[in-house]
Amino acid sequence: MSTTVIKNGTIVTADLTYKADVLIEGGVITAIGPNLMGETSLDATGCYVMPGGIDPHTHLEMPFMGTYSTDDFESGTRAALAGGTTMVIDFALPSPGQSLLEAITMWDNKSTRANCDYSFHMAITWWGEQVFNEMETVVKDKGITTFKHFMAYKGALMVDDDEMYASFSRVGELGGIAMVHAENGDVVAQLQQKLLAAGNNGPEAHAYSRPAEVEGEATNRAIMIADMTGTPLYVVHTSCEQSHEAIRRARQKGMRVWGEPLIQHLTLDESEYAHPDWDHAARRVMSPPFRNKLHQDSLWAGLSAGSLQVVATDHCAFTTEQKRYGVGDFTKIPNGTGGLEDRMPMLWTYGVGTGRLTMNEFVAVTSTNIAKILNCYPKKGAVLVGADADLVVWDPEKSKTISAGTQQSAIDYNVFEGKHVKGLPRFTLTRGHVAIHDGEVRTEEGHGKFVARKPVTPTNTALSTWKELTSPRKVERSGIPASGV
Amino acid sequence: MSTTVIKNGTIVTADLTYKADVLIEGGVITAIGPNLMGETSLDATGCYVMPGGIDPHTHLEMPFMGTYSTDDFESGTRAALAGGTTMVIDFALPSPGQSLLEAITMWDNKSTRANCDYSFHMAITWWGEQVFNEMETVVKDKGITTFKHFMAYKGALMVDDDEMYASFSRVGELGGIAMVHAENGDVVAQLQQKLLAAGNNGPEAHAYSRPAEVEGEATNRAIMIADMTGTPLYVVHTSCEQSHEAIRRARQKGMRVWGEPLIQHLTLDESEYAHPDWDHAARRVMSPPFRNKLHQDSLWAGLSAGSLQVVATDHCAFTTEQKRYGVGDFTKIPNGTGGLEDRMPMLWTYGVGTGRLTMNEFVAVTSTNIAKILNCYPKKGAVLVGADADLVVWDPEKSKTISAGTQQSAIDYNVFEGKHVKGLPRFTLTRGHVAIHDGEVRTEEGHGKFVARKPVTPTNTALSTWKELTSPRKVERSGIPASGV
Amino acid sequence: MSTTVIKNGTIVTADLTYKADVLIEGGVITAIGPNLMGETSLDATGCYVMPGGIDPHTHLEMPFMGTYSTDDFESGTRAALAGGTTMVIDFALPSPGQSLLEAITMWDNKSTRANCDYSFHMAITWWGEQVFNEMETVVKDKGITTFKHFMAYKGALMVDDDEMYASFSRVGELGGIAMVHAENGDVVAQLQQKLLAAGNNGPEAHAYSRPAEVEGEATNRAIMIADMTGTPLYVVHTSCEQSHEAIRRARQKGMRVWGEPLIQHLTLDESEYAHPDWDHAARRVMSPPFRNKLHQDSLWAGLSAGSLQVVATDHCAFTTEQKRYGVGDFTKIPNGTGGLEDRMPMLWTYGVGTGRLTMNEFVAVTSTNIAKILNCYPKKGAVLVGADADLVVWDPEKSKTISAGTQQSAIDYNVFEGKHVKGLPRFTLTRGHVAIHDGEVRTEEGHGKFVARKPVTPTNTALSTWKELTSPRKVERSGIPASGV
Amino acid sequence: MSTTVIKNGTIVTADLTYKADVLIEGGVITAIGPNLMGETSLDATGCYVMPGGIDPHTHLEMPFMGTYSTDDFESGTRAALAGGTTMVIDFALPSPGQSLLEAITMWDNKSTRANCDYSFHMAITWWGEQVFNEMETVVKDKGITTFKHFMAYKGALMVDDDEMYASFSRVGELGGIAMVHAENGDVVAQLQQKLLAAGNNGPEAHAYSRPAEVEGEATNRAIMIADMTGTPLYVVHTSCEQSHEAIRRARQKGMRVWGEPLIQHLTLDESEYAHPDWDHAARRVMSPPFRNKLHQDSLWAGLSAGSLQVVATDHCAFTTEQKRYGVGDFTKIPNGTGGLEDRMPMLWTYGVGTGRLTMNEFVAVTSTNIAKILNCYPKKGAVLVGADADLVVWDPEKSKTISAGTQQSAIDYNVFEGKHVKGLPRFTLTRGHVAIHDGEVRTEEGHGKFVARKPVTPTNTALSTWKELTSPRKVERSGIPASGV
Ligand SMILES: [Zn+2]
Ligand SMILES: [Zn+2]
Ligand SMILES: [Zn+2]
Ligand SMILES: [Zn+2]
Ligand SMILES: [Zn+2]
Ligand SMILES: [Zn+2]
Ligand SMILES: [Zn+2]
Ligand SMILES: [Zn+2]
């Protein structure tokens, strides 16, 4: 097997910063230390060698009205690699009524073209005995341990509290992790109707229909249900102080809850929807919508305080053409924006560059924490001997202005258009393969493999122990009912 | 008309403490000042003359499985007067599908026997065009402006988020106030099944099935829906820190939300359910259940801080016989406890007696705040010329040990049995009639009248103004969709 | 005695809104009701008849470097009346080492010219046996029960924690209320030196030297000391979320703490200091400085939630000439701005006009709450028979643009210059004397009298009871030390 | 060099749990993997191989009134090793006026007998130019980067706000970390006098004199000063919700603050002081004192939520004889308790055993987080090739009842006496030396070496960057003062 060595770099992990070379063989890190040699050498002088980014939340080639979201597993993972991300976790989405296993097959088929490794979350979009039973197979045979629930998208993907309780219970039993898209779907639907009735049909009304309070409420509710069922909870796309507040309030009671801000919510704000150009605004339509600066400050502080743990993209971009499906009715604008290519440079620039995050925290929230929570560490998310050589050689002096014109993503625009970023990959390696080589794209379609994950994390174990210890105890009584007293 | 004068007392209102006599004529206060004379004289030496208590939350003669809760409007209001309470507000409860107006008629019939004045809240137990339409009549013709929604009691009274949104919107439009019984009914039902399945069938399991988190969640959700619809919200029986936290968090955003602790939750705790006597425990079954000391501290602090505003009883007691309907299955124990007779002495003893509350705060939370929020001030809740002579002459030195054996209430037990209270009525007057005369009960069946209340309080007006000012604004665009950007 | 009647108005109090005429005789309200008649009649058609405003925090003719702050008791109270305020509470400020009683004499002398009633707070600017002893005289003989402590102004008025503890203890013992100007004076002094050393000598550096965190810290510290000594605490000029947070956190533990936002902090923000004109910025120099919109939102919500109780001005304006004393060194700019004339119209416009406050809350925070907390209710702050006829007849349709050119205040500028207000006095009455008559100023120099206040409010009593109940209990031991264990 | 191998164990780090052997040579880990061989073999079957504990807070052989605290560096580190702790960080305490360098020499002399490695924090007990200057030497030449400040112990070690500001600024400049013992010393002294005056002279009065509010206040103040100076802050012995609340509130604003609960505060409560035996109570006298269950819950939740980061002991035990110095005057009872030997088993039993913490979190808070924050990671706190072989082989099935009779510590009692712990070291290794061998103590006096630490951690860098970015900006003005405006 041929060997590659990354020379003269500074390794930056979630824990540490130190100078060392990295030797790679067979897609795996085989040595870390000074003066290593290999057949191929990558010069990391002046660079940081970090675990490649993991995006825990993408929707590549997602079905929409008979078409698909723009980036598929090929272009999406190519864009990811260009930005220093070496793994994505996508959502297998059964239609209501559809078998979970069938959905996995569909996603397996799409993902064959991936340029980097990937894993799946399973969405629970309906409830029934079949779902209950298949969940066990999904966890035990399919390596998928994380189950997403939509509290919004009424009439489509939404599940109600009863279904959440039942599904969370099942997830907990199987040692998995419950996930939620947290917005109150009933209220969103009501607000949508009210806005449309008032003639508010533009993309800005999308934001009006999904206020922070509506997200905060759903987050709070999901947390309570997770607590009642004794299941760890992962809240996707935490966009606002309200939701963050619910999460940290829960954590301060010892509950096991994680929050995932998106790079979009950290760096873009609601003023985008006031843009006079309809396309501009519509391209930024996603759920939850962008918020104001206050919410951004909350999210940034959460990342450094540890009350929020990871940064994702919810990458699910639709073309301008697809977006225009909602002209005249904002509820028909397909929801989703991109970010897979820009997450790492944007977070570095606005996080590490400003001092909001240390470099180590950057690695933690873009990669290591994700791998730990989702249980694929240290295969992923680590610079350790034995770990997959999913690495990014990060040049802190390299800069560019983000533009759709020069991106790998297949989307015809970029929500970060015009943002100047400083800090970019010199090389990105996926299991040892140099997919990005100093600006040159050398991705290999189909190189990516599925990463199976195991249930029953230490968090599951600890939580179960605590719940057992504090479970209700029956009062012993003699003579029921009794007289007296 | 004959006149009565209360002599030599110290008037204590929500605002003030001062010495003055009170002259009463035709059931109304006609003079307050020194040296007043009347045909009948009541000696208030050493006593405080206060507005009679108002209990904003009772269920007298409430239907249950073909029988009724123990205290009817006669015994219930007699018990109330004995404890210094001169007005009760009961709930007209339509069965699902039943006309609101019919329900009012039913309650009108029952209340003819009342010994003191009363008013009604209307419960919204189902939703439909008829309900929507009748609500207007209820507010405009029937003098009922407050609408209660059950978020628990699944399969019976419970309404879902969609119905709450619709009903709250309607309430706001009519200038009324939304009320909620806040517990997540889906989750309660799930926990009940789980507990029963595990053999937890005793009354303590009732408490286990309704944790504070479940109440806090529902409170938080109701607040969000009220905020979205622009409607003031009144949360009944706030029993825990979680619910209180949600309320004060909302208030700190300028939202208009009130919380109502019960005297039971302020002074009794969950250890009651661990009592070895089944009857003892079952008699304390109510929803929400009693909590621990922590929650009690939170409620008391809320009353002095102003984040909680009123104290009620949710008086709805069932006989031991009725309670025993749930032997072997706690979910069948009828929910409810008494308190109407004891609320004032218990709150005085544990509140004023300990320094947790000033005397003026005592009046505020037992009477004046209630009258203001529910819009019958200053007819009720005031010691002012022109106000109804609903008064209590409070003797701070009078004491007793609470016991079922000596109470007016028709219930065959008392949840406060054995509590020593100091501070009791010397006289209680209902519109001038001396119903309690130094230990002697002189109530007059049917003396009580319905108190109609008007909508569109100052709070409604302020909230509507703010919501209008901050409502979504359409972005004006020329050329949609546009090219570029 | 001649009589005056206010006809056809709507009375608005902290509790109520109702139509009635008001009859005044001998400076006192003698009747409230329909169809009253008096010798002089004031037409209140379309107007609200409210208790005159009380400003709990002014510094009229305050000594500064051998001169005085611009408005003295004559012009200051004239300005007050023009804006609907009928009572001011000023601070008697002994120099360090000076007798408290001497200071009162000085203030007595200045206040003889007052056009409306007034009272004093006493400042504790140093500590010693003499101060300890005189405090009793101040409370018992001088009618001053509120004692202010400066935690800032190091080297001048500042007292340290030890002195605060001693003084608060004494205040509590005497049944008084402790007050604090809460900013950490050590840290302010350090920041001032650092800023000056860095060449930051303009008025904006004043704001930089007094961050919200520094105010929040001091507020938190004062609350702890008040709690340890069992003394009610009144925090003057609460300007920021940090300070407000400390107050409401304390209140949620049952502590007795009040917060006083200023109208300036509610409506003006820090951007004023970035004004290119030095005079503009310097005229806005006060402590604490203006904050940003976030803090404003916090203060407004506090007023409606009840976690903040009153609105003041800290009126203490210096001429532009005096302000220029600090050219080249911001620490020499005299601290203080005006507001006495504008507090009521500004709060009405931005509070009632937007729906943030009800009319009744407006009366509460500008008058009634102040009178209650500071113990001069219902002589002041009430529309009740027997209360002083300190009244404002408020015309909600009257509007103007605030301008120094047209004001009563003697200051040569106005920090609210250019603000449009809607809601202004038609008449202002001070003890029955019509001082403002439909735009015409008819004040009477020397008309104002000192209002003595009594100690031992209900809050003092409740707090002492609670503190006694929860005070440390000695553990009884036999044999000390013991062997074993 | 001889080699040692730990065979058949499961490695547990802050990140990971996996089966592997560990090879040790020259006191350093040289290999981790399957099937390793060495000259000496330690059987870890059924055990967890973890980084040895680090106690970040001890006072060995601390001077007290001419004597010393009981455990010196020999017995103290022997006790540490017996309990699985392989490094202690002690405090060099200059007397007021004494040179910092002299203090280091004194501590260097004492520590020559240590059985395991150690480091020092420097206490700043006075302020002056000499201290300012020596701090640089301490950081750059002595390897001490953490500076402790006492906000209590008035008249002895206490520094005031001005000194803290100056010292924190200096610490920040040097890239160090400020530490505080956070209690308001002025208020403690006042409460002590008040209690003694009231005849409260027993050990329980120690607790009464140091309420949680007093600690919370000081923590809040230290945080503000750290924020103003841009210096990371480490709060020692965080014992209560109030202090924890201040820490997490700060962290939620992005401030860099850490909190250190002690094992005593996590597991023992205030009821200990009510013990009828004076000795029992006096032996538990430490500052802050033990708190109630509420505070314990807060601390546990903080550890799992990440708002508190490390667990220490403040080991500083005095003999019963020394404790009795305070008979008749609790203020003379020397402050301090032990815990070095019991921290790890107690935390495992009450943390991991209950499910409050995962095993990985256990390692993080007892070792890895400490090494990271205090900048000696991964030399310490890691199971990594190249790291010091400071390891504990933890047997989760081994149990004992804690008793002074069987402990290594020289103290004549144990505050955990009678507690049953499950989870104990089978072996403890200090730089490869097996100091504890299956119950047998094989420590080597003088084996321990000083661990120098470097300044300018990533946290320092990030914080400085942020503070520079957000520092005050001068407003440019032309013409000062200006006319107009
Ligand atoms: Zn989503
Ligand atoms: Zn998504
Ligand atoms: Zn209810
Ligand atoms: Zn009820
Ligand atoms: Zn001030
Ligand atoms: Zn002032
Ligand atoms: Zn200490
Ligand atoms: Zn210590």
Side-chain angles (χ1 to χ4, degrees), chain C residues 185-415:
Chain C
D186 280 337
V187 171
V188 168
Q190 293 268 13
L191 293 177
Q192 287 176 333
Q193 292 322 303
K194 189 176 166 188
L195 285 157
L196 285 175
N200 259 306
N201 63 6
E204 72 280 12
H206 172 78
Y208 298 152
S209 73
R210 309 183 97 98
E213 295 295 339
V214 170
E215 179 186 348
E217 184 282 316
T219 301
N220 190 67
R221 183 155 36 102
I223 287 170
M224 183 275 284
I225 295 175
D227 183 41
M228 289 301 120
T229 58
T231 309
L233 180 70
Y234 180 111
V235 181
V236 308
H237 47 48
T238 305
S239 78
C240 61
E241 160 60 11
Q242 279 84 342
S243 185
H244 179 198
E245 186 278 332
I247 290 169
R248 64 181 190 257
R249 182 159 36 89
R251 291 174 63 88
Q252 286 304 330
K253 292 174 184 159
M255 296 179 192
R256 298 294 185 164
V257 186
W258 300 285
E260 172 203 87
L262 305 184
I263 187 61
Q264 296 93 320
H265 291 118
L266 285 161
T267 59
L268 301 174
D269 70 44
E270 61 185 5
S271 64
E272 302 282 350
Y273 301 118
H275 198 283
D277 186 284
W278 189 96
D279 281 350
H280 181 102
R283 287 160 174 166
R284 273 89 184 155
V285 163
M286 67 179 303
S287 297
F290 302 161
R291 309 292 189 187
N292 68 25
K293 301 288 182 199
L294 259 182
H295 295 292
Q296 293 184 353
D297 284 345
S298 170
L299 301 180
W300 282 108
L303 290 174
S304 75
S307 50
L308 301 173
Q309 295 76 27
V310 304
V311 175
T313 64
D314 199 2
H315 189 94
C316 178
F318 294 94
T319 58
T320 303
E321 206 54 36
Q322 289 170 313
K323 289 282 187 182
R324 288 180 183 174
Y325 185 72
V327 169
D329 180 352
F330 72 88
T331 67
K332 298 199 172 123
I333 303 171
N335 276 221
T337 66
L340 208 29
E341 192 164 348
D342 311 307
R343 181 180 64 127
M344 303 275 285
M346 283 293 290
L347 193 75
W348 182 274
T349 303
Y350 289 92
V352 180
T354 61
R356 285 196 194 247
L357 298 177
T358 67
M359 291 195 297
N360 311 99
E361 289 167 343
F362 172 85
V363 173
V365 301
T366 56
S367 180
T368 306
N369 286 358
I370 298 165
K372 285 182 188 171
I373 293 170
L374 300 178
N375 214 16
C376 54
Y377 183 84
K379 177 181 173 61
K380 302 297 186 187
V383 183
L384 286 175
V385 170
D388 283 355
D390 280 14
L391 296 166
V392 60
V393 178
W394 195 258
D395 185 344
E397 296 303 322
K398 196 168 175 179
S399 70
K400 73 168 182 182
T401 299
I402 293 176
S403 174
T406 54
Q407 75 192 1
Q408 291 301 317
S409 167
I411 315 172
D412 65 321
Y413 58 90
N414 188 311
V415 297

Side-chain angles (χ1 to χ4, degrees), chain B residues 23-304:
Chain B
L23 184 66
I24 298 160
E25 195 169 354
V28 167
I29 298 171
T30 52
I32 300 169
N35 307 318
L36 300 178
M37 293 296 160
E39 287 155 295
T40 310
S41 181
L42 299 172
D43 180 23
T45 305
C47 288
Y48 301 120
V49 182
M50 308 189 295
I54 303 173
D55 191 332
H57 187 162
T58 66
H59 302 277
L60 300 175
E61 206 179 331
M62 196 181 77
F64 164 71
M65 308 277 305
T67 66
Y68 291 93
S69 65
T70 309
D71 279 313
D72 59 18
F73 276 83
E74 194 287 314
S75 71
T77 55
R78 178 158 38 83
L81 288 162
T85 290
T86 55
M87 179 178 180
V88 299
I89 312 187
D90 213 83
F91 291 81
L93 279 167
S95 311
Q98 190 187 20
S99 153
L100 307 189
L101 305 178
E102 247 179 68
I104 294 176
T105 304
M106 288 171 63
W107 259 257
D108 279 345
N109 290 340
K110 294 193 260 196
S111 58
T112 52
R113 300 177 57 212
N115 294 294
C116 70
D117 288 359
Y118 56 90
S119 188
F120 297 140
H121 307 289
M122 173 55 61
I124 298 299
T125 57
W126 62 290
W127 191 247
E129 204 182 324
Q130 186 187 347
V131 173
F132 180 91
N133 290 333
E134 289 184 348
M135 286 172 80
E136 187 163 11
T137 311
V138 169
V139 169
K140 297 197 175 155
D141 301 350
K142 300 294 181 184
I144 299 176
T145 58
T146 39
F147 293 86
K148 164 92 162 284
H149 303 76
F150 293 89
M151 301 172 79
Y153 302 124
K154 188 173 180 177
L157 304 169
M158 184 167 132
V159 288
D160 67 21
D161 290 5
D162 235 16
E163 292 164 334
M164 279 211 286
Y165 184 95
S167 179
F168 283 23
S169 293
R170 181 60 168 160
V171 170
E173 211 168 82
L174 295 169
I177 292 171
M179 305 178 93
V180 281
H181 170 129
E183 292 183 299
N184 186 311
D186 280 335
V187 171
V188 168
Q190 293 268 13
L191 294 176
Q192 288 176 332
Q193 291 323 303
K194 188 177 167 187
L195 285 157
L196 286 175
N200 261 304
N201 62 7
E204 72 279 12
H206 172 78
Y208 299 153
S209 72
R210 309 183 97 97
E213 296 295 340
V214 170
E215 179 186 348
E217 184 282 316
T219 302
N220 190 68
R221 182 154 38 102
I223 287 170
M224 182 277 282
I225 296 175
D227 182 42
M228 288 303 120
T229 57
T231 308
L233 180 71
Y234 180 111
V235 181
V236 307
H237 47 48
T238 305
S239 79
C240 62
E241 160 61 10
Q242 279 83 343
S243 185
H244 179 196
E245 187 276 332
I247 290 170
R248 63 181 191 259
R249 181 157 39 88
R251 290 174 63 87
Q252 287 302 331
K253 292 174 185 161
M255 296 178 192
R256 299 294 185 166
V257 186
W258 301 285
E260 171 203 86
L262 305 184
I263 187 62
Q264 295 94 319
H265 291 118
L266 286 161
T267 60
L268 301 175
D269 69 44
E270 61 186 3
S271 63
E272 304 281 351
Y273 300 117
H275 198 284
D277 187 282
W278 190 96
D279 281 349
H280 181 102
R283 287 158 174 168
R284 273 89 185 156
V285 162
M286 68 179 302
S287 297
F290 302 161
R291 310 291 189 186
N292 68 25
K293 301 289 182 198
L294 258 181
H295 295 292
Q296 293 183 352
D297 284 346
S298 170
L299 300 181
W300 281 107
L303 290 175
S304 76

Side-chain angles (χ1 to χ4, degrees), chain A residues 192-204:
Chain A
Q192 287 175 332
Q193 292 322 303
K194 188 176 167 190
L195 285 157
L196 285 175
N200 260 305
N201 62 6
E204 71 280 11

Side-chain angles (χ1 to χ4, degrees), chain A residues 97-216:
Chain A
Q98 191 186 19
S99 153
L100 307 187
L101 305 178
E102 247 179 68
I104 294 176
T105 304
M106 287 171 64
W107 257 258
D108 279 344
N109 290 340
K110 293 193 258 197
S111 58
T112 52
R113 298 179 57 214
N115 294 295
C116 70
D117 288 359
Y118 56 90
S119 189
F120 296 140
H121 307 290
M122 172 57 61
I124 298 298
T125 57
W126 62 290
W127 190 245
E129 205 183 325
Q130 184 187 352
V131 172
F132 180 91
N133 290 332
E134 290 184 347
M135 285 171 82
E136 187 164 10
T137 311
V138 167
V139 170
K140 297 195 176 157
D141 301 348
K142 299 295 179 183
I144 299 177
T145 58
T146 40
F147 292 86
K148 164 90 163 285
H149 303 76
F150 293 89
M151 302 173 79
Y153 302 124
K154 189 175 181 176
L157 305 167
M158 184 167 133
V159 288
D160 67 22
D161 289 6
D162 236 14
E163 293 164 334
M164 279 210 286
Y165 183 95
S167 179
F168 283 22
S169 293
R170 180 62 168 160
V171 170
E173 212 168 83
L174 295 169
I177 291 170
M179 306 178 92
V180 281
H181 171 128
E183 293 183 300
N184 186 311
D186 279 338
V187 171
V188 167
Q190 292 268 14
L191 293 177
Q192 287 175 332
Q193 292 322 303
K194 188 176 167 190
L195 285 157
L196 285 175
N200 260 305
N201 62 6
E204 71 280 11
H206 172 78
Y208 300 152
S209 72
R210 310 184 97 98
E213 295 296 340
V214 170
E215 179 186 348

Side-chain angles (χ1 to χ4, degrees), chain A residues 94-414:
Chain A
S95 312
Q98 191 186 19
S99 153
L100 307 187
L101 305 178
E102 247 179 68
I104 294 176
T105 304
M106 287 171 64
W107 257 258
D108 279 344
N109 290 340
K110 293 193 258 197
S111 58
T112 52
R113 298 179 57 214
N115 294 295
C116 70
D117 288 359
Y118 56 90
S119 189
F120 296 140
H121 307 290
M122 172 57 61
I124 298 298
T125 57
W126 62 290
W127 190 245
E129 205 183 325
Q130 184 187 352
V131 172
F132 180 91
N133 290 332
E134 290 184 347
M135 285 171 82
E136 187 164 10
T137 311
V138 167
V139 170
K140 297 195 176 157
D141 301 348
K142 299 295 179 183
I144 299 177
T145 58
T146 40
F147 292 86
K148 164 90 163 285
H149 303 76
F150 293 89
M151 302 173 79
Y153 302 124
K154 189 175 181 176
L157 305 167
M158 184 167 133
V159 288
D160 67 22
D161 289 6
D162 236 14
E163 293 164 334
M164 279 210 286
Y165 183 95
S167 179
F168 283 22
S169 293
R170 180 62 168 160
V171 170
E173 212 168 83
L174 295 169
I177 291 170
M179 306 178 92
V180 281
H181 171 128
E183 293 183 300
N184 186 311
D186 279 338
V187 171
V188 167
Q190 292 268 14
L191 293 177
Q192 287 175 332
Q193 292 322 303
K194 188 176 167 190
L195 285 157
L196 285 175
N200 260 305
N201 62 6
E204 71 280 11
H206 172 78
Y208 300 152
S209 72
R210 310 184 97 98
E213 295 296 340
V214 170
E215 179 186 348
E217 184 282 317
T219 301
N220 190 67
R221 184 155 36 102
I223 287 170
M224 182 275 282
I225 296 175
D227 183 41
M228 289 302 119
T229 57
T231 308
L233 180 69
Y234 180 110
V235 181
V236 308
H237 48 48
T238 306
S239 80
C240 62
E241 162 59 12
Q242 279 83 341
S243 185
H244 179 196
E245 188 278 329
I247 290 170
R248 62 182 193 259
R249 183 158 35 88
R251 291 174 62 87
Q252 287 302 331
K253 292 173 183 159
M255 296 178 191
R256 299 294 185 166
V257 186
W258 301 284
E260 172 203 86
L262 305 185
I263 188 63
Q264 295 92 322
H265 292 119
L266 286 161
T267 60
L268 300 174
D269 70 43
E270 63 187 1
S271 64
E272 303 282 350
Y273 301 118
H275 198 286
D277 186 284
W278 190 96
D279 281 348
H280 180 104
R283 288 160 173 167
R284 272 88 185 158
V285 163
M286 66 180 302
S287 297
F290 302 161
R291 309 294 189 185
N292 68 24
K293 302 289 184 197
L294 258 180
H295 296 291
Q296 292 184 352
D297 284 345
S298 171
L299 300 181
W300 282 107
L303 289 176
S304 75
S307 50
L308 300 174
Q309 295 75 28
V310 303
V311 175
T313 64
D314 200 2
H315 190 93
C316 178
F318 294 94
T319 59
T320 303
E321 206 53 38
Q322 289 170 314
K323 290 282 186 181
R324 287 182 185 173
Y325 185 73
V327 169
D329 180 351
F330 72 88
T331 68
K332 298 200 172 122
I333 303 171
N335 276 221
T337 66
L340 206 31
E341 192 165 350
D342 310 307
R343 182 180 64 128
M344 302 276 285
M346 283 295 290
L347 193 75
W348 182 274
T349 302
Y350 289 91
V352 179
T354 60
R356 285 196 195 247
L357 298 178
T358 67
M359 292 194 295
N360 312 98
E361 289 167 345
F362 172 84
V363 172
V365 301
T366 56
S367 180
T368 306
N369 287 357
I370 299 165
K372 285 183 188 171
I373 295 170
L374 301 179
N375 215 18
C376 53
Y377 182 84
K379 178 182 172 61
K380 302 295 185 186
V383 182
L384 285 176
V385 170
D388 283 356
D390 279 15
L391 296 166
V392 61
V393 177
W394 194 260
D395 185 345
E397 296 304 320
K398 195 168 175 177
S399 70
K400 73 167 182 183
T401 299
I402 293 175
S403 175
T406 54
Q407 75 193 2
Q408 291 301 316
S409 166
I411 315 172
D412 66 322
Y413 57 90
N414 187 312

Side-chain angles (χ1 to χ4, degrees), chain D residues 54-92:
Chain D
I54 302 174
D55 191 331
H57 187 163
T58 67
H59 301 278
L60 299 176
E61 207 180 330
M62 197 181 78
F64 165 70
M65 307 276 306
T67 66
Y68 291 92
S69 65
T70 308
D71 278 313
D72 57 18
F73 277 83
E74 193 287 316
S75 71
T77 54
R78 180 159 34 87
L81 288 163
T85 289
T86 56
M87 180 179 178
V88 300
I89 312 186
D90 213 84
F91 290 82

